[in-house]
Amino acid sequence: METLMMYAIICPLVFVAGIVDAIAGGGGLISLPAYMIAGVPVHTAIATNKMSAAMGTSIATYRFAKSGYINRKQALPCVVFALVGSYLGARITLLLSADVFRVVMMVILPLTAFYVMGKKSLREDKTPYPYGKTLFLCAVISFCIGVYDGFYGPGTGTFLILLLTALAHIALHEAAGTTKVINLSTNISALMVFLANGVVDLPLGIVAGCFSIVGNIIGVKLFSQKGVKFVKPFMIVVLLIFFAKTIWEIMA
């Protein structure tokens, strides 16, 4: 009975997280707490959430690629730099407390929310940079967000989309596609470690992963059809959840 209740709590929230993640990134801010609320032990929750997220993200990545939203020549260096950054970020956790990032996030998150609400955010009419400059900026952004992901992590996809559109002048659809490739790579990398150490609840991960897949399929469809006006509200929701989570962690 307890197991059925666990599935009943986790699967619907993972489904919602899949929709949000495909549209605006940050689905982990919904799915990981779902595992915790259901009473899954911390390490198993993190590992199993990574499995369900990887399943959903793989489908979203495929559908973005099929729609022509992924520039492979641009995405590959981003993946490499993100993985290097993630490794360094994980190493930095041995030297610094996550409280440092939480305090910084208390300033960054409201500013990010105000930016997203602005008329000029996520604009599709920004003048593209030359290929070399675009590639350089994408690599730098991927490395920096990779460090953040390895060190702390929440909202990684959201920050990637925002920075790729704002700083590298990449169109929203392409930025979302590149973000999915990066997220899939980092998810698989972490999942391999968790599987090797036997901390993934495989039955729960597979079932929740199926819900994540359906959520991601719906999310990609909505993203493709609705565009910028539809993405902004989802990003605001993700940032608000992240802000509330950060306040809770600081006060706890």
Side-chain angles (χ1 to χ4, degrees), residues 99-135:
D99 290 336
V100 175
F101 260 92
R102 293 189 184 106
V103 172
V104 173
M105 286 298 111
M106 291 295 290
V107 177
I108 291 177
L109 289 172
L111 293 176
T112 304
F114 279 119
Y115 169 76
V116 172
M117 288 187 289
K119 291 183 179 180
K120 295 183 178 181
S121 67
L122 304 177
R123 280 170 46 187
E124 297 278 13
D125 60 347
K126 291 181 179 178
T127 304
Y129 290 131
Y131 178 74
K133 183 176 181 178
T134 300
L135 195 62

PDB file of all heavy atoms in Angstrom, residues 99-135:
ATOM      1  N   ASP A  99      25.896  26.853   0.798  1.00  0.00           N
ATOM      2  CA  ASP A  99      25.263  28.067   1.336  1.00  0.00           C
ATOM      3  C   ASP A  99      25.729  29.312   0.585  1.00  0.00           C
ATOM      4  O   ASP A  99      24.985  30.294   0.482  1.00  0.00           O
ATOM      5  CB  ASP A  99      25.593  28.218   2.834  1.00  0.00           C
ATOM      6  CG  ASP A  99      24.889  27.158   3.679  1.00  0.00           C
ATOM      7  OD1 ASP A  99      23.851  26.637   3.205  1.00  0.00           O
ATOM      8  OD2 ASP A  99      25.362  26.862   4.777  1.00  0.00           O
ATOM      9  N   VAL A 100      26.962  29.271   0.080  1.00  0.00           N
ATOM     10  CA  VAL A 100      27.486  30.403  -0.688  1.00  0.00           C
ATOM     11  C   VAL A 100      26.609  30.647  -1.908  1.00  0.00           C
ATOM     12  O   VAL A 100      26.193  31.774  -2.192  1.00  0.00           O
ATOM     13  CB  VAL A 100      28.947  30.147  -1.136  1.00  0.00           C
ATOM     14  CG1 VAL A 100      29.435  31.279  -2.038  1.00  0.00           C
ATOM     15  CG2 VAL A 100      29.856  30.011   0.077  1.00  0.00           C
ATOM     16  N   PHE A 101      26.293  29.565  -2.631  1.00  0.00           N
ATOM     17  CA  PHE A 101      25.459  29.690  -3.814  1.00  0.00           C
ATOM     18  C   PHE A 101      24.042  30.099  -3.455  1.00  0.00           C
ATOM     19  O   PHE A 101      23.396  30.859  -4.177  1.00  0.00           O
ATOM     20  CB  PHE A 101      25.437  28.369  -4.592  1.00  0.00           C
ATOM     21  CG  PHE A 101      26.353  28.359  -5.778  1.00  0.00           C
ATOM     22  CD1 PHE A 101      27.655  27.904  -5.666  1.00  0.00           C
ATOM     23  CD2 PHE A 101      25.924  28.815  -6.996  1.00  0.00           C
ATOM     24  CE1 PHE A 101      28.503  27.890  -6.752  1.00  0.00           C
ATOM     25  CE2 PHE A 101      26.758  28.815  -8.109  1.00  0.00           C
ATOM     26  CZ  PHE A 101      28.059  28.348  -7.980  1.00  0.00           C
ATOM     27  N   ARG A 102      23.519  29.603  -2.332  1.00  0.00           N
ATOM     28  CA  ARG A 102      22.149  29.942  -1.933  1.00  0.00           C
ATOM     29  C   ARG A 102      22.003  31.433  -1.691  1.00  0.00           C
ATOM     30  O   ARG A 102      21.008  32.038  -2.085  1.00  0.00           O
ATOM     31  CB  ARG A 102      21.764  29.151  -0.680  1.00  0.00           C
ATOM     32  CG  ARG A 102      21.654  27.653  -0.911  1.00  0.00           C
ATOM     33  CD  ARG A 102      21.058  26.936   0.277  1.00  0.00           C
ATOM     34  NE  ARG A 102      21.054  25.489   0.056  1.00  0.00           N
ATOM     35  CZ  ARG A 102      21.867  24.638   0.652  1.00  0.00           C
ATOM     36  NH1 ARG A 102      22.753  25.075   1.521  1.00  0.00           N
ATOM     37  NH2 ARG A 102      21.801  23.350   0.394  1.00  0.00           N
ATOM     38  N   VAL A 103      22.999  32.026  -1.047  1.00  0.00           N
ATOM     39  CA  VAL A 103      22.954  33.470  -0.785  1.00  0.00           C
ATOM     40  C   VAL A 103      23.021  34.246  -2.106  1.00  0.00           C
ATOM     41  O   VAL A 103      22.288  35.210  -2.309  1.00  0.00           O
ATOM     42  CB  VAL A 103      24.111  33.891   0.147  1.00  0.00           C
ATOM     43  CG1 VAL A 103      24.174  35.415   0.258  1.00  0.00           C
ATOM     44  CG2 VAL A 103      23.927  33.274   1.528  1.00  0.00           C
ATOM     45  N   VAL A 104      23.905  33.814  -2.994  1.00  0.00           N
ATOM     46  CA  VAL A 104      24.027  34.470  -4.299  1.00  0.00           C
ATOM     47  C   VAL A 104      22.717  34.356  -5.077  1.00  0.00           C
ATOM     48  O   VAL A 104      22.267  35.311  -5.723  1.00  0.00           O
ATOM     49  CB  VAL A 104      25.184  33.849  -5.110  1.00  0.00           C
ATOM     50  CG1 VAL A 104      25.204  34.405  -6.535  1.00  0.00           C
ATOM     51  CG2 VAL A 104      26.519  34.136  -4.422  1.00  0.00           C
ATOM     52  N   MET A 105      22.066  33.186  -5.002  1.00  0.00           N
ATOM     53  CA  MET A 105      20.805  32.962  -5.709  1.00  0.00           C
ATOM     54  C   MET A 105      19.696  33.892  -5.219  1.00  0.00           C
ATOM     55  O   MET A 105      18.794  34.252  -5.984  1.00  0.00           O
ATOM     56  CB  MET A 105      20.346  31.505  -5.551  1.00  0.00           C
ATOM     57  CG  MET A 105      21.132  30.503  -6.369  1.00  0.00           C
ATOM     58  SD  MET A 105      20.986  30.790  -8.156  1.00  0.00           S
ATOM     59  CE  MET A 105      22.636  31.343  -8.529  1.00  0.00           C
ATOM     60  N   MET A 106      19.752  34.297  -3.953  1.00  0.00           N
ATOM     61  CA  MET A 106      18.746  35.210  -3.413  1.00  0.00           C
ATOM     62  C   MET A 106      18.773  36.553  -4.134  1.00  0.00           C
ATOM     63  O   MET A 106      17.776  37.277  -4.169  1.00  0.00           O
ATOM     64  CB  MET A 106      18.986  35.422  -1.908  1.00  0.00           C
ATOM     65  CG  MET A 106      18.705  34.198  -1.057  1.00  0.00           C
ATOM     66  SD  MET A 106      16.960  33.735  -1.082  1.00  0.00           S
ATOM     67  CE  MET A 106      16.253  35.083  -0.154  1.00  0.00           C
ATOM     68  N   VAL A 107      19.908  36.890  -4.714  1.00  0.00           N
ATOM     69  CA  VAL A 107      20.030  38.135  -5.485  1.00  0.00           C
ATOM     70  C   VAL A 107      19.756  37.873  -6.963  1.00  0.00           C
ATOM     71  O   VAL A 107      19.012  38.616  -7.622  1.00  0.00           O
ATOM     72  CB  VAL A 107      21.444  38.746  -5.328  1.00  0.00           C
ATOM     73  CG1 VAL A 107      21.581  39.992  -6.193  1.00  0.00           C
ATOM     74  CG2 VAL A 107      21.720  39.070  -3.866  1.00  0.00           C
ATOM     75  N   ILE A 108      20.320  36.782  -7.481  1.00  0.00           N
ATOM     76  CA  ILE A 108      20.224  36.490  -8.906  1.00  0.00           C
ATOM     77  C   ILE A 108      18.804  36.147  -9.346  1.00  0.00           C
ATOM     78  O   ILE A 108      18.334  36.607 -10.398  1.00  0.00           O
ATOM     79  CB  ILE A 108      21.180  35.335  -9.282  1.00  0.00           C
ATOM     80  CG1 ILE A 108      22.636  35.812  -9.169  1.00  0.00           C
ATOM     81  CG2 ILE A 108      20.894  34.828 -10.693  1.00  0.00           C
ATOM     82  CD1 ILE A 108      23.657  34.732  -9.441  1.00  0.00           C
ATOM     83  N   LEU A 109      18.083  35.370  -8.556  1.00  0.00           N
ATOM     84  CA  LEU A 109      16.759  34.894  -8.974  1.00  0.00           C
ATOM     85  C   LEU A 109      15.734  36.015  -9.194  1.00  0.00           C
ATOM     86  O   LEU A 109      15.049  36.022 -10.224  1.00  0.00           O
ATOM     87  CB  LEU A 109      16.231  33.860  -7.966  1.00  0.00           C
ATOM     88  CG  LEU A 109      16.953  32.511  -7.997  1.00  0.00           C
ATOM     89  CD1 LEU A 109      16.512  31.630  -6.845  1.00  0.00           C
ATOM     90  CD2 LEU A 109      16.695  31.801  -9.324  1.00  0.00           C
ATOM     91  N   PRO A 110      15.606  36.974  -8.263  1.00  0.00           N
ATOM     92  CA  PRO A 110      14.657  38.076  -8.539  1.00  0.00           C
ATOM     93  C   PRO A 110      15.054  38.886  -9.773  1.00  0.00           C
ATOM     94  O   PRO A 110      14.188  39.272 -10.564  1.00  0.00           O
ATOM     95  CB  PRO A 110      14.740  38.934  -7.271  1.00  0.00           C
ATOM     96  CG  PRO A 110      15.222  38.014  -6.206  1.00  0.00           C
ATOM     97  CD  PRO A 110      16.156  37.076  -6.909  1.00  0.00           C
ATOM     98  N   LEU A 111      16.354  39.119  -9.954  1.00  0.00           N
ATOM     99  CA  LEU A 111      16.816  39.867 -11.127  1.00  0.00           C
ATOM    100  C   LEU A 111      16.509  39.103 -12.409  1.00  0.00           C
ATOM    101  O   LEU A 111      16.093  39.688 -13.414  1.00  0.00           O
ATOM    102  CB  LEU A 111      18.326  40.133 -11.014  1.00  0.00           C
ATOM    103  CG  LEU A 111      18.779  41.075  -9.888  1.00  0.00           C
ATOM    104  CD1 LEU A 111      20.298  41.161  -9.844  1.00  0.00           C
ATOM    105  CD2 LEU A 111      18.174  42.463 -10.075  1.00  0.00           C
ATOM    106  N   THR A 112      16.691  37.791 -12.361  1.00  0.00           N
ATOM    107  CA  THR A 112      16.392  36.956 -13.523  1.00  0.00           C
ATOM    108  C   THR A 112      14.901  36.993 -13.852  1.00  0.00           C
ATOM    109  O   THR A 112      14.507  37.079 -15.019  1.00  0.00           O
ATOM    110  CB  THR A 112      16.825  35.494 -13.262  1.00  0.00           C
ATOM    111  OG1 THR A 112      18.212  35.464 -12.926  1.00  0.00           O
ATOM    112  CG2 THR A 112      16.596  34.634 -14.503  1.00  0.00           C
ATOM    113  N   ALA A 113      14.065  36.930 -12.806  1.00  0.00           N
ATOM    114  CA  ALA A 113      12.616  36.974 -13.005  1.00  0.00           C
ATOM    115  C   ALA A 113      12.186  38.292 -13.653  1.00  0.00           C
ATOM    116  O   ALA A 113      11.359  38.308 -14.565  1.00  0.00           O
ATOM    117  CB  ALA A 113      11.892  36.777 -11.675  1.00  0.00           C
ATOM    118  N   PHE A 114      12.760  39.402 -13.182  1.00  0.00           N
ATOM    119  CA  PHE A 114      12.443  40.718 -13.767  1.00  0.00           C
ATOM    120  C   PHE A 114      12.872  40.770 -15.233  1.00  0.00           C
ATOM    121  O   PHE A 114      12.181  41.336 -16.078  1.00  0.00           O
ATOM    122  CB  PHE A 114      13.119  41.835 -12.975  1.00  0.00           C
ATOM    123  CG  PHE A 114      12.375  42.218 -11.728  1.00  0.00           C
ATOM    124  CD1 PHE A 114      12.971  42.087 -10.489  1.00  0.00           C
ATOM    125  CD2 PHE A 114      11.069  42.696 -11.794  1.00  0.00           C
ATOM    126  CE1 PHE A 114      12.285  42.431  -9.329  1.00  0.00           C
ATOM    127  CE2 PHE A 114      10.373  43.046 -10.638  1.00  0.00           C
ATOM    128  CZ  PHE A 114      10.978  42.914  -9.405  1.00  0.00           C
ATOM    129  N   TYR A 115      14.020  40.155 -15.528  1.00  0.00           N
ATOM    130  CA  TYR A 115      14.496  40.131 -16.920  1.00  0.00           C
ATOM    131  C   TYR A 115      13.524  39.348 -17.807  1.00  0.00           C
ATOM    132  O   TYR A 115      13.166  39.794 -18.898  1.00  0.00           O
ATOM    133  CB  TYR A 115      15.889  39.510 -16.993  1.00  0.00           C
ATOM    134  CG  TYR A 115      16.329  39.217 -18.414  1.00  0.00           C
ATOM    135  CD1 TYR A 115      16.757  40.239 -19.250  1.00  0.00           C
ATOM    136  CD2 TYR A 115      16.275  37.920 -18.920  1.00  0.00           C
ATOM    137  CE1 TYR A 115      17.129  39.981 -20.566  1.00  0.00           C
ATOM    138  CE2 TYR A 115      16.655  37.654 -20.227  1.00  0.00           C
ATOM    139  CZ  TYR A 115      17.077  38.685 -21.044  1.00  0.00           C
ATOM    140  OH  TYR A 115      17.433  38.424 -22.339  1.00  0.00           O
ATOM    141  N   VAL A 116      13.102  38.181 -17.326  1.00  0.00           N
ATOM    142  CA  VAL A 116      12.203  37.335 -18.108  1.00  0.00           C
ATOM    143  C   VAL A 116      10.882  38.055 -18.383  1.00  0.00           C
ATOM    144  O   VAL A 116      10.294  37.936 -19.464  1.00  0.00           O
ATOM    145  CB  VAL A 116      11.931  35.996 -17.376  1.00  0.00           C
ATOM    146  CG1 VAL A 116      10.845  35.195 -18.107  1.00  0.00           C
ATOM    147  CG2 VAL A 116      13.208  35.174 -17.298  1.00  0.00           C
ATOM    148  N   MET A 117      10.410  38.834 -17.414  1.00  0.00           N
ATOM    149  CA  MET A 117       9.146  39.543 -17.579  1.00  0.00           C
ATOM    150  C   MET A 117       9.253  40.723 -18.552  1.00  0.00           C
ATOM    151  O   MET A 117       8.237  41.243 -19.031  1.00  0.00           O
ATOM    152  CB  MET A 117       8.630  40.032 -16.226  1.00  0.00           C
ATOM    153  CG  MET A 117       8.109  38.920 -15.335  1.00  0.00           C
ATOM    154  SD  MET A 117       7.320  39.521 -13.814  1.00  0.00           S
ATOM    155  CE  MET A 117       8.742  40.122 -12.895  1.00  0.00           C
ATOM    156  N   GLY A 118      10.471  41.150 -18.839  1.00  0.00           N
ATOM    157  CA  GLY A 118      10.666  42.283 -19.743  1.00  0.00           C
ATOM    158  C   GLY A 118      10.295  41.944 -21.178  1.00  0.00           C
ATOM    159  O   GLY A 118      10.338  40.793 -21.613  1.00  0.00           O
ATOM    160  N   LYS A 119       9.941  42.953 -21.942  1.00  0.00           N
ATOM    161  CA  LYS A 119       9.507  42.757 -23.328  1.00  0.00           C
ATOM    162  C   LYS A 119      10.639  42.260 -24.231  1.00  0.00           C
ATOM    163  O   LYS A 119      10.401  41.596 -25.231  1.00  0.00           O
ATOM    164  CB  LYS A 119       8.956  44.073 -23.884  1.00  0.00           C
ATOM    165  CG  LYS A 119       7.641  44.509 -23.250  1.00  0.00           C
ATOM    166  CD  LYS A 119       7.128  45.781 -23.901  1.00  0.00           C
ATOM    167  CE  LYS A 119       5.800  46.207 -23.282  1.00  0.00           C
ATOM    168  NZ  LYS A 119       5.280  47.458 -23.896  1.00  0.00           N
ATOM    169  N   LYS A 120      11.888  42.607 -23.874  1.00  0.00           N
ATOM    170  CA  LYS A 120      13.002  42.268 -24.758  1.00  0.00           C
ATOM    171  C   LYS A 120      13.598  40.885 -24.488  1.00  0.00           C
ATOM    172  O   LYS A 120      14.446  40.426 -25.241  1.00  0.00           O
ATOM    173  CB  LYS A 120      14.107  43.331 -24.636  1.00  0.00           C
ATOM    174  CG  LYS A 120      13.681  44.711 -25.136  1.00  0.00           C
ATOM    175  CD  LYS A 120      14.838  45.690 -25.062  1.00  0.00           C
ATOM    176  CE  LYS A 120      14.431  47.063 -25.596  1.00  0.00           C
ATOM    177  NZ  LYS A 120      15.561  48.041 -25.547  1.00  0.00           N
ATOM    178  N   SER A 121      13.197  40.244 -23.406  1.00  0.00           N
ATOM    179  CA  SER A 121      13.756  38.930 -23.099  1.00  0.00           C
ATOM    180  C   SER A 121      13.244  37.883 -24.076  1.00  0.00           C
ATOM    181  O   SER A 121      12.101  37.940 -24.550  1.00  0.00           O
ATOM    182  CB  SER A 121      13.377  38.515 -21.671  1.00  0.00           C
ATOM    183  OG  SER A 121      11.998  38.289 -21.560  1.00  0.00           O
ATOM    184  N   LEU A 122      14.091  36.937 -24.414  1.00  0.00           N
ATOM    185  CA  LEU A 122      13.763  35.813 -25.298  1.00  0.00           C
ATOM    186  C   LEU A 122      13.328  36.252 -26.692  1.00  0.00           C
ATOM    187  O   LEU A 122      12.671  35.504 -27.416  1.00  0.00           O
ATOM    188  CB  LEU A 122      12.651  34.939 -24.676  1.00  0.00           C
ATOM    189  CG  LEU A 122      12.919  34.385 -23.276  1.00  0.00           C
ATOM    190  CD1 LEU A 122      11.710  33.625 -22.776  1.00  0.00           C
ATOM    191  CD2 LEU A 122      14.142  33.488 -23.266  1.00  0.00           C
ATOM    192  N   ARG A 123      13.691  37.457 -27.077  1.00  0.00           N
ATOM    193  CA  ARG A 123      13.325  37.945 -28.406  1.00  0.00           C
ATOM    194  C   ARG A 123      13.958  37.094 -29.499  1.00  0.00           C
ATOM    195  O   ARG A 123      15.079  36.645 -29.390  1.00  0.00           O
ATOM    196  CB  ARG A 123      13.775  39.401 -28.583  1.00  0.00           C
ATOM    197  CG  ARG A 123      12.857  40.424 -27.955  1.00  0.00           C
ATOM    198  CD  ARG A 123      13.479  41.803 -27.955  1.00  0.00           C
ATOM    199  NE  ARG A 123      14.070  42.140 -29.253  1.00  0.00           N
ATOM    200  CZ  ARG A 123      14.794  43.242 -29.454  1.00  0.00           C
ATOM    201  NH1 ARG A 123      15.033  44.076 -28.475  1.00  0.00           N
ATOM    202  NH2 ARG A 123      15.286  43.492 -30.652  1.00  0.00           N
ATOM    203  N   GLU A 124      13.195  36.898 -30.571  1.00  0.00           N
ATOM    204  CA  GLU A 124      13.676  36.094 -31.698  1.00  0.00           C
ATOM    205  C   GLU A 124      14.354  36.948 -32.766  1.00  0.00           C
ATOM    206  O   GLU A 124      14.888  36.426 -33.731  1.00  0.00           O
ATOM    207  CB  GLU A 124      12.493  35.333 -32.328  1.00  0.00           C
ATOM    208  CG  GLU A 124      11.828  34.326 -31.401  1.00  0.00           C
ATOM    209  CD  GLU A 124      12.569  33.003 -31.349  1.00  0.00           C
ATOM    210  OE1 GLU A 124      13.721  32.953 -31.826  1.00  0.00           O
ATOM    211  OE2 GLU A 124      12.011  32.035 -30.830  1.00  0.00           O
ATOM    212  N   ASP A 125      14.297  38.288 -32.609  1.00  0.00           N
ATOM    213  CA  ASP A 125      14.794  39.163 -33.673  1.00  0.00           C
ATOM    214  C   ASP A 125      16.177  39.751 -33.390  1.00  0.00           C
ATOM    215  O   ASP A 125      16.574  40.733 -33.995  1.00  0.00           O
ATOM    216  CB  ASP A 125      13.798  40.302 -33.929  1.00  0.00           C
ATOM    217  CG  ASP A 125      13.563  41.173 -32.691  1.00  0.00           C
ATOM    218  OD1 ASP A 125      13.969  40.753 -31.580  1.00  0.00           O
ATOM    219  OD2 ASP A 125      12.981  42.264 -32.843  1.00  0.00           O
ATOM    220  N   LYS A 126      16.911  39.151 -32.448  1.00  0.00           N
ATOM    221  CA  LYS A 126      18.249  39.647 -32.166  1.00  0.00           C
ATOM    222  C   LYS A 126      19.183  39.321 -33.337  1.00  0.00           C
ATOM    223  O   LYS A 126      19.093  38.243 -33.926  1.00  0.00           O
ATOM    224  CB  LYS A 126      18.794  39.024 -30.873  1.00  0.00           C
ATOM    225  CG  LYS A 126      18.069  39.496 -29.616  1.00  0.00           C
ATOM    226  CD  LYS A 126      18.654  38.865 -28.371  1.00  0.00           C
ATOM    227  CE  LYS A 126      17.947  39.359 -27.125  1.00  0.00           C
ATOM    228  NZ  LYS A 126      18.451  38.720 -25.889  1.00  0.00           N
ATOM    229  N   THR A 127      20.074  40.252 -33.634  1.00  0.00           N
ATOM    230  CA  THR A 127      21.010  40.061 -34.740  1.00  0.00           C
ATOM    231  C   THR A 127      22.006  38.947 -34.398  1.00  0.00           C
ATOM    232  O   THR A 127      22.718  39.047 -33.392  1.00  0.00           O
ATOM    233  CB  THR A 127      21.788  41.354 -35.029  1.00  0.00           C
ATOM    234  OG1 THR A 127      20.859  42.407 -35.274  1.00  0.00           O
ATOM    235  CG2 THR A 127      22.704  41.165 -36.227  1.00  0.00           C
ATOM    236  N   PRO A 128      22.070  37.891 -35.190  1.00  0.00           N
ATOM    237  CA  PRO A 128      22.999  36.786 -34.897  1.00  0.00           C
ATOM    238  C   PRO A 128      24.453  37.259 -34.977  1.00  0.00           C
ATOM    239  O   PRO A 128      24.798  38.120 -35.793  1.00  0.00           O
ATOM    240  CB  PRO A 128      22.699  35.763 -35.991  1.00  0.00           C
ATOM    241  CG  PRO A 128      21.341  36.133 -36.506  1.00  0.00           C
ATOM    242  CD  PRO A 128      21.248  37.616 -36.370  1.00  0.00           C
ATOM    243  N   TYR A 129      25.296  36.685 -34.136  1.00  0.00           N
ATOM    244  CA  TYR A 129      26.730  36.969 -34.189  1.00  0.00           C
ATOM    245  C   TYR A 129      27.394  36.094 -35.260  1.00  0.00           C
ATOM    246  O   TYR A 129      26.812  35.088 -35.685  1.00  0.00           O
ATOM    247  CB  TYR A 129      27.377  36.671 -32.841  1.00  0.00           C
ATOM    248  CG  TYR A 129      26.999  37.634 -31.733  1.00  0.00           C
ATOM    249  CD1 TYR A 129      26.574  37.162 -30.493  1.00  0.00           C
ATOM    250  CD2 TYR A 129      27.100  39.018 -31.910  1.00  0.00           C
ATOM    251  CE1 TYR A 129      26.247  38.033 -29.473  1.00  0.00           C
ATOM    252  CE2 TYR A 129      26.771  39.898 -30.889  1.00  0.00           C
ATOM    253  CZ  TYR A 129      26.344  39.394 -29.672  1.00  0.00           C
ATOM    254  OH  TYR A 129      26.015  40.268 -28.659  1.00  0.00           O
ATOM    255  N   PRO A 130      28.612  36.455 -35.674  1.00  0.00           N
ATOM    256  CA  PRO A 130      29.359  35.557 -36.563  1.00  0.00           C
ATOM    257  C   PRO A 130      29.518  34.187 -35.908  1.00  0.00           C
ATOM    258  O   PRO A 130      29.543  34.080 -34.671  1.00  0.00           O
ATOM    259  CB  PRO A 130      30.711  36.275 -36.722  1.00  0.00           C
ATOM    260  CG  PRO A 130      30.407  37.710 -36.451  1.00  0.00           C
ATOM    261  CD  PRO A 130      29.334  37.712 -35.405  1.00  0.00           C
ATOM    262  N   TYR A 131      29.656  33.169 -36.731  1.00  0.00           N
ATOM    263  CA  TYR A 131      29.689  31.790 -36.219  1.00  0.00           C
ATOM    264  C   TYR A 131      30.743  31.582 -35.135  1.00  0.00           C
ATOM    265  O   TYR A 131      30.463  30.974 -34.089  1.00  0.00           O
ATOM    266  CB  TYR A 131      29.940  30.818 -37.375  1.00  0.00           C
ATOM    267  CG  TYR A 131      30.031  29.374 -36.926  1.00  0.00           C
ATOM    268  CD1 TYR A 131      28.900  28.672 -36.559  1.00  0.00           C
ATOM    269  CD2 TYR A 131      31.269  28.730 -36.857  1.00  0.00           C
ATOM    270  CE1 TYR A 131      28.975  27.354 -36.137  1.00  0.00           C
ATOM    271  CE2 TYR A 131      31.362  27.407 -36.444  1.00  0.00           C
ATOM    272  CZ  TYR A 131      30.208  26.727 -36.087  1.00  0.00           C
ATOM    273  OH  TYR A 131      30.295  25.426 -35.660  1.00  0.00           O
ATOM    274  N   GLY A 132      31.968  32.112 -35.362  1.00  0.00           N
ATOM    275  CA  GLY A 132      33.051  31.928 -34.396  1.00  0.00           C
ATOM    276  C   GLY A 132      32.722  32.530 -33.041  1.00  0.00           C
ATOM    277  O   GLY A 132      32.956  31.909 -31.993  1.00  0.00           O
ATOM    278  N   LYS A 133      32.163  33.735 -33.046  1.00  0.00           N
ATOM    279  CA  LYS A 133      31.805  34.406 -31.794  1.00  0.00           C
ATOM    280  C   LYS A 133      30.677  33.664 -31.091  1.00  0.00           C
ATOM    281  O   LYS A 133      30.706  33.497 -29.858  1.00  0.00           O
ATOM    282  CB  LYS A 133      31.391  35.857 -32.080  1.00  0.00           C
ATOM    283  CG  LYS A 133      31.067  36.654 -30.820  1.00  0.00           C
ATOM    284  CD  LYS A 133      30.768  38.111 -31.147  1.00  0.00           C
ATOM    285  CE  LYS A 133      30.472  38.904 -29.877  1.00  0.00           C
ATOM    286  NZ  LYS A 133      30.215  40.339 -30.161  1.00  0.00           N
ATOM    287  N   THR A 134      29.710  33.207 -31.872  1.00  0.00           N
ATOM    288  CA  THR A 134      28.588  32.457 -31.290  1.00  0.00           C
ATOM    289  C   THR A 134      29.078  31.186 -30.620  1.00  0.00           C
ATOM    290  O   THR A 134      28.681  30.868 -29.491  1.00  0.00           O
ATOM    291  CB  THR A 134      27.559  32.086 -32.381  1.00  0.00           C
ATOM    292  OG1 THR A 134      27.067  33.273 -32.988  1.00  0.00           O
ATOM    293  CG2 THR A 134      26.398  31.307 -31.790  1.00  0.00           C
ATOM    294  N   LEU A 135      29.957  30.467 -31.300  1.00  0.00           N
ATOM    295  CA  LEU A 135      30.495  29.218 -30.764  1.00  0.00           C
ATOM    296  C   LEU A 135      31.286  29.465 -29.486  1.00  0.00           C
ATOM    297  O   LEU A 135      31.159  28.715 -28.509  1.00  0.00           O
ATOM    298  CB  LEU A 135      31.391  28.544 -31.808  1.00  0.00           C
ATOM    299  CG  LEU A 135      31.736  27.070 -31.558  1.00  0.00           C
ATOM    300  CD1 LEU A 135      30.474  26.228 -31.556  1.00  0.00           C
ATOM    301  CD2 LEU A 135      32.702  26.578 -32.628  1.00  0.00           C
TER     302      LEU A 135
END
